[in-house]
Amino acid sequence: MAITARLTAALSWVQTGAHDLGVPSFKSALQREMIYADGTAADQADILFADTRTIVSGGTDDLDLAGALSTAFGQTITAAKIVAMMIVSKATNTTNLTIGVGTNPVVGWLGGTTPTLGPIRPGGMLLRAETGAAGICSVTAGTADILRIANAAGAAATYDIVILGRSA
C-alpha cells in the first residue's frame, strides 16, 4: 500500500485603513505546500492515520502510535517518526482540547518535560508539519509513543485527526 500526500496551508488578508485621499489597503498572502512521496526518507511518508474521534467530558484520548492504531484498510500503524499532524476541533464542541502529557508521551515536538499545547477551542485547529529527515518527532514504542488529546470538563468533544508518519 502506497501513500502520497499534499499538505497546503494558506492565509490571505486585506488590511484597510483611513487616509486623506481614500482608503488604502494592504493585500497579501502566505502559502506553503509540502509534498510527501511514499517512503521513509526526507519528503516522504509511509504511514497515514485519519479518524473522527469523540472524547467524554473531562476525559482523554490516548493514541498509541506504535502498534495500536490502524489505517483505513486495517493495517496496524507502527510509527518511528511523525512528519505531519492536523487536529481540528468541531465547531459544535463546547469544550477545549489540550495536546500533551500522559504516560509515555510523544512530546519531543512540544519541548520541556511535561509540555502541553492548547487550548484548541471549538472550531480551532492545530497543524504541524516537517519534510526533513527528522520529521516533527520520533516515536519510541513503550516510552514515547502516546499522543494524548484531553478534553475539558463540561461536555463531550469531537475532533478530526490526520497523522502522517514514517515506519523507519
Side-chain angles (χ1 to χ4, degrees):
M1 195 163 310
I3 292 175
T4 57
R6 176 184 310 264
L7 186 149
T8 304
L11 179 63
S12 60
W13 61 89
V14 176
Q15 183 180 22
T16 58
H19 188 273
D20 290 347
L21 297 175
V23 179
S25 66
F26 168 59
K27 180 179 180 179
S28 194
L30 179 62
Q31 180 172 330
R32 173 73 164 110
E33 182 172 79
M34 296 177 170
I35 306 293
Y36 297 92
D38 189 57
T40 59
D43 298 316
Q44 297 180 336
D46 66 340
I47 291 173
L48 172 71
F49 174 73
D51 201 6
T52 297
R53 302 176 70 88
T54 301
I55 309 170
V56 299
S57 173
T60 59
D61 191 10
D62 287 348
L63 305 176
D64 186 339
L65 303 176
L69 299 176
S70 298
T71 68
F73 301 103
Q75 294 177 317
T76 301
I77 293 169
T78 303
K81 302 271 186 204
I82 302 301
V83 297
M85 177 179 3
M86 184 172 184
I87 299 171
V88 178
S89 177
K90 296 289 188 178
T92 53
N93 290 342
T94 58
T95 55
N96 299 331
L97 301 175
T98 302
I99 313 302
V101 291
T103 303
N104 301 327
V106 174
V107 294
W109 60 285
L110 293 173
T113 55
T114 56
T116 62
L117 179 65
I120 301 173
R121 293 180 177 86
M125 73 172 186
L126 166 71
L127 174 61
R128 179 79 168 90
E130 296 284 345
T131 55
I136 295 171
C137 65
S138 294
V139 176
T140 305
T143 60
D145 60 353
I146 304 297
L147 176 65
R148 174 170 278 182
I149 316 292
N151 181 27
T158 301
Y159 69 97
D160 295 326
I161 185 166
V162 177
I163 297 172
L164 278 176
R166 298 183 188 126
S167 60

